[in-house]
Amino acid sequence: MSTLVLTLPLGTPGPAAEYSYTLTADGHTATRHASTTAALLPDPGRAGEIVAVVPARALSWQQVTLPQGATAQAGRLRAVLEGLLEEHLLDDPAQLHFALQPGAQPGSAAWVAVCDRAWLRGALQA
């Protein structure tokens, strides 16, 4: 199965934005790599997958301790994260996208990656 790994551009997303990419047929060896616009990105094939990488400069990393009773329900967990992070964020939490560390458990410390929601949506839609 081939995989297209692309780095989302930091700037304003749009048709002229450049995406750095690597294409691999086996997940281990690069078969091609370059930078191009979204329209010219190679097709990973019918059974392939696309992995989008958010640049480190676009992320803020926050550590939280999930309260007991925090559930994996998307709406409920988002509200819990907004409450935990509200004092630590410069932007309105409603304008941000949160990615919680996989396997996070209530009562334990966990990392949350935070980025601008509109930027992420625009970069992925392009």
Side-chain angles (χ1 to χ4, degrees):
M1 171 173 69
S2 65
T3 304
L4 175 65
V5 180
L6 58 96
T7 302
L8 302 177
L10 277 173
T12 305
E18 290 274 321
Y19 292 78
S20 296
Y21 72 87
T22 300
L23 186 64
T24 175
D26 60 6
H28 299 284
T29 307
T31 56
R32 185 167 40 165
H33 62 90
S35 292
T36 189
T37 61
L40 298 176
L41 286 168
D43 184 358
R46 189 172 196 171
E49 68 179 347
I50 299 173
V51 176
V53 178
V54 175
R57 292 189 344 209
L59 293 173
S60 167
W61 290 93
Q62 305 293 327
Q63 192 170 37
V64 298
T65 299
L66 296 175
Q68 294 297 331
T71 64
Q73 294 174 318
R76 174 79 178 119
L77 187 54
R78 171 133 185 123
V80 168
L81 290 175
E82 283 183 9
L84 292 171
L85 295 171
E86 188 172 30
E87 299 294 320
H88 303 283
L89 302 172
L90 298 176
D91 294 321
D92 176 15
Q95 297 175 344
L96 302 171
H97 175 78
F98 301 138
L100 181 62
Q101 168 185 328
Q105 297 294 318
S108 299
W111 287 101
V112 180
V114 182
C115 70
D116 182 86
R117 179 183 275 184
W119 168 82
L120 181 60
R121 180 177 288 130
L124 292 174
Q125 286 177 343

